[in-house]
Amino acid sequence: MKSDYKYYAGKYDVIVIGAGHAGCEAALATARLGKKTLLLSLSLDAIALLACNPNIGGTGKGHLVREVDALGGEMGRVIDKSVIQMKMLNSSKGPAVHSLRGQTDKKKYQAIMKQTLEMQENLDLKQGEVFEIYVENNKVKGILTNTGAVYDADVVIVCSGTYLRGRIYIGEVNFPSGPYGLYPANELSKCLTNLGIKLRRFKTGTPARIHRDSIDFSKMEIQPGDEELIPFSFMTDRLEINQVPCYLTYTTEETHKIIRENIDRSPMYAGIMESVGPRYCPSIEDKVMRFADKTKHQVFIEPEGLDTCEMYVQGMSTTLPEEIQVKMLRTIPGLENAKIMRTAYAIEYDCIDATQLKRSLEHKEIENLFFAGQINGTSGYEEAAAQGIMAGINAVLKLRGEEPLILDRSEAYIGVLIDDIVTKEINEPYRMMTSRAEYRLTLRQDNADLRLTEKGYKIGLVSEERYKRMLEKKNQLEKELSRLKERILTPTKEINDFLGRLNSTPLKTPTSFYDLIKRPEITYDSLKEIDTDRPELSREVRMIVETEIKYEGYIAKQMRQIEQFKKLESKKLPKDIDYSQIKGLRIEARQKLNQIKPESVGQASRIAGVNPADINVLLIYLEQQKRLSKSGRSEKNE
C-alpha cells in the first residue's frame, strides 16, 4: 500500500531497479566505470536468482555469456566458480553452433554474485521496492521507494524481470506472486503506464523440484559432463571440479493419457490465462497436445546444487493442478515414488514493448531511462545479462557525453538480440538461438574475446591484464596459422603410411600442413605425431586454428556478406524524418517506420511490414536529400 510519507535519501549517478542477471551486470558496469550506483532489489535473498533451470549457457545462450565476459562482465566468472558440471553442446556439428553449458550450484552462484556486488567500489546495494520514477521535461530525475525514500539520479535502468504484477498459476489456483514465491512488484507498472510506456502481458513457466531420495536413478540414463573442461570466462585458466551427473528419462503413454484427461484443468487451455508464453520452451501439456503422434518426450533430472536434495525436472514445465502433477510424474521411469518439493507453475508478468527503445536500450522519448532484461520481453538469464551490461555501458557513455556502444548483427550475438527486440515486434518471450544470427560462422563463442575485448578495453571496463591476454591469444593464432602455411610435408613413405592410418589419401606433391588440415578426415590434433615443432596451445586456440582453416572459404564468403550488410547499416536515417511525407512508401511501411524510427536503412530493412521496394524508396529519398544539401551549400558559398 502506498503512503504519502517521503524523505530525501540522497543522490546517485545511476540507479538500477532489480538485481536479477540484468541488474547485476548493469550495476557492476556503471560502478566499475566510476559512476556512483545504487542497486535496488525487492529482496536481497533474490539477488542473481536462478528462478528456473539450474544451468547457464546452452545453444546460442553460451555465446552470449562469453560475449558478456569478453566485454568485462561477471556472469562467466561466477559460473566458473559455482559450476558442478560442464558440457559442450552440439560438438558433433559445425563450430558455429558449439555452445557451452554449465550446471551450477544455485545457492553458490547467488552467494558469489551477491558478495561481488557487496565488495564493489562505487556500488550500494539496498532492499526496497520502487513505486515511482520521477521524470521532468522528458528526462529522468529520480525515484521513490516503498519506504518513502526519494533518490535523485541522472540515469535509471529498469531491470525488473518477471516481478511486475506477477501472478502464479497452478491449475485452478492463482495468486499474486513473484517467481520462486517471492513478493511481486505491484506499483511500478502503474508508473510506467503513466509515463506513456506501452506494456504487455507475457508468461513463463517452471517445472517441479523433487526430492533426490525419491528417485530411482537405476532406471535412467546417466548424463556425465565433458572430460576436457572449457571455462566460460576467458580469465579462468582451468576448471578442476568433481562433476555431478545429470540423468535422462522419458514420459510414457500413461503420462500423456493423464495430461489429456485433465487438460481442461490447465489454465492455459481453460482460457484463464491469455498471456503469451515462450514458443521454444513449451509446457508438457503443449508438447502432448501439439505433438500427438509422439509416444514419449525427454525428461532430464538435474541437481539444483551440492548442498540440497532438490532436483530440477527439465522438460516438465506445467500449469496442471498439484495433484495431477504428482500422478503425471509417477508414470515416468525412475520417478514412480517422486516427492514434489516445489510445485511447477506458470507466472504472468508485465513487460514493455521494446520497440519503444533505441538500440542503446534508452527509451526513445524519456532521456536517461534505460531498460534491460525480461522487462524487454526476453527470456533467460543470459539474454538478461547481455542487455544488462550494454545498458550499463551505454548509461555511462551517455553521462560522459559520448556516442553509445552499438554492437551490430555482424559483430555479436548481443547485437542480434538487441536489434531483434527493438526492431521487430516480439509477440512472445524472446529466446536467443544460433539460427537467429546470420553471420554465426564468424560469431563463434571461441572468438568472442577477439571480437569484443578491445571494445570493452577502450570504454574502460576491461582490465589491462584481460586485454593483454586477448592480444597474446590473437598473436598465438596468427603465428600458428602462418607456421602451418609455411611448414611443408613431402610425399615420403613414412608420411603416406601415417595418412593411410587416418584413412586419408597419400601425398603426391609437397603439401603444407595448412592444406592438409582442410581434408575432412584430418584434424589439427591428429597431426601431432608428425608435426614435431608445433607449439603448446590451449584447446580453444587449437579449435580456432582448425576452424579458420577448414571453413576458410565459407568465412571469406561471410565476410563479403558482412561488407554488404555494413553498407546499409552505414546509411543513417535522420531522427526527425516524417515517413508519411515520403512518396512511394506503402501505407503499412509509413506506419511501421514512424513507429520504430529506425537508425539506419539496414535496421529499416528488418522491420516487419517494410519490404525491399520500400527500402529502394528510402535509398532514393536519402540520395535526393544528399543532393539538395550539396546544392544548398553551393548556393550559400556563392
Side-chain angles (χ1 to χ4, degrees), residues 563-586:
E563 282 180 32
Q564 293 302 313
F565 163 81
K566 293 274 192 186
K567 286 179 182 177
L568 283 182
E569 293 299 301
S570 67
K571 294 183 184 299
K572 300 300 180 186
L573 292 166
K575 293 178 182 178
D576 58 352
I577 191 169
D578 183 357
Y579 294 95
S580 62
Q581 300 301 311
I582 300 179
K583 294 179 180 178
L585 283 178
R586 294 172 309 110

Side-chain angles (χ1 to χ4, degrees), residues 19 40-48 126-129 163 182-183:
L40 285 161
S41 175
L42 280 172
S43 169
L44 295 187
D45 296 325
I47 288 171
K126 190 164 184 178
Q127 184 164 295
E129 180 182 351
Y163 287 85
L182 295 160
Y183 287 112

Side-chain angles (χ1 to χ4, degrees), residues 180 207-217 220 247 249 299-305 308-314 316 322 325-330 332-344:
Y180 236 55
R209 275 62 158 185
I210 58 178
H211 199 289
R212 183 196 305 271
D213 294 346
S214 68
I215 303 170
D216 184 352
F217 294 109
M220 302 179 180
Y247 296 87
T249 184
V299 178
F300 289 93
I301 307 299
E302 303 171 344
E304 294 249 307
T308 178
C309 288
E310 288 188 67
M311 302 291 283
Y312 180 84
V313 189
Q314 176 81 271
M316 293 291 286
E322 189 172 62
Q325 291 186 33
V326 174
K327 287 181 183 178
M328 183 173 68
L329 287 171
R330 289 181 177 175
I332 296 171
L335 302 184
E336 293 86 353
N337 299 302
K339 292 182 180 179
I340 291 180
M341 298 177 72
R342 296 184 201 247
T343 309

Side-chain angles (χ1 to χ4, degrees), residues 99-299:
S99 297
L100 199 57
R101 187 184 70 184
Q103 295 291 142
T104 184
D105 185 314
K106 280 189 171 184
K107 290 296 182 186
K108 189 174 181 182
Y109 184 96
Q110 279 189 272
I112 294 169
M113 186 64 86
K114 183 169 182 280
Q115 186 178 45
T116 302
L117 295 164
E118 289 171 343
M119 302 296 288
Q120 178 61 49
E121 187 181 354
N122 296 324
L123 178 58
D124 289 341
L125 185 58
K126 190 164 184 178
Q127 184 164 295
E129 180 182 351
V130 174
F131 278 5
E132 292 281 349
I133 298 172
Y134 294 125
V135 174
E136 289 180 17
N137 299 319
N138 292 325
K139 188 173 184 178
V140 160
K141 289 297 179 183
I143 63 158
L144 167 69
T145 74
N146 58 328
T147 60
V150 174
Y151 294 95
D152 287 337
D154 295 320
V155 168
V156 170
I157 307 175
V158 182
C159 306
S160 51
T162 60
Y163 287 85
L164 296 192
R165 293 198 310 120
R167 179 168 283 272
I168 296 287
Y169 288 82
I170 305 168
E172 295 86 356
V173 176
N174 64 82
F175 49 88
S177 176
Y180 236 55
L182 295 160
Y183 287 112
N186 290 321
E187 299 295 333
L188 191 55
S189 289
K190 298 174 193 172
C191 167
L192 295 176
T193 300
N194 290 338
L195 290 173
I197 296 170
K198 181 183 174 184
L199 299 183
R200 60 172 102 192
R201 199 82 170 145
F202 275 1
K203 71 173 169 65
T204 187
T206 190
R209 275 62 158 185
I210 58 178
H211 199 289
R212 183 196 305 271
D213 294 346
S214 68
I215 303 170
D216 184 352
F217 294 109
S218 67
K219 295 182 179 180
M220 302 179 180
E221 300 170 30
I222 192 166
Q223 304 288 299
D226 290 342
E227 288 186 18
E228 189 173 359
L229 303 181
I230 294 178
F232 268 108
S233 176
F234 294 103
M235 293 301 285
T236 303
D237 291 318
R238 64 173 62 187
L239 286 175
E240 293 181 359
I241 57 170
N242 294 319
Q243 297 193 80
V244 177
C246 298
Y247 296 87
L248 172 63
T249 184
Y250 296 88
T251 59
T252 64
E253 292 190 7
E254 182 63 23
T255 317
H256 300 184
K257 181 185 175 188
I258 290 171
I259 291 169
R260 284 192 292 267
E261 287 174 349
N262 293 277
I263 197 65
D264 60 324
R265 300 185 67 189
S266 165
M268 289 186 295
Y269 284 83
I272 299 169
M273 292 179 74
E274 296 180 0
S275 50
V276 183
R279 182 186 317 180
Y280 299 103
C281 191
S283 65
I284 188 62
E285 50 263 47
D286 257 358
K287 291 186 212 175
V288 169
M289 300 305 288
R290 284 164 50 192
F291 306 105
D293 57 317
K294 286 192 174 286
T295 58
K296 63 180 183 179
H297 294 280
Q298 287 184 329
V299 178

Side-chain angles (χ1 to χ4, degrees), residues 60-125:
K61 293 167 176 279
H63 293 69
L64 290 173
V65 180
R66 295 204 117 201
E67 289 180 353
V68 167
D69 183 74
L71 287 168
E74 199 63 29
M75 178 175 266
R77 286 190 278 199
V78 176
I79 185 66
D80 285 347
K81 293 172 185 174
S82 58
V83 70
I84 57 178
Q85 189 197 90
M86 197 71 91
K87 203 160 194 170
M88 185 69 75
L89 304 185
N90 303 323
S91 55
S92 62
K93 299 179 182 178
V97 296
H98 291 181
S99 297
L100 199 57
R101 187 184 70 184
Q103 295 291 142
T104 184
D105 185 314
K106 280 189 171 184
K107 290 296 182 186
K108 189 174 181 182
Y109 184 96
Q110 279 189 272
I112 294 169
M113 186 64 86
K114 183 169 182 280
Q115 186 178 45
T116 302
L117 295 164
E118 289 171 343
M119 302 296 288
Q120 178 61 49
E121 187 181 354
N122 296 324
L123 178 58
D124 289 341
L125 185 58

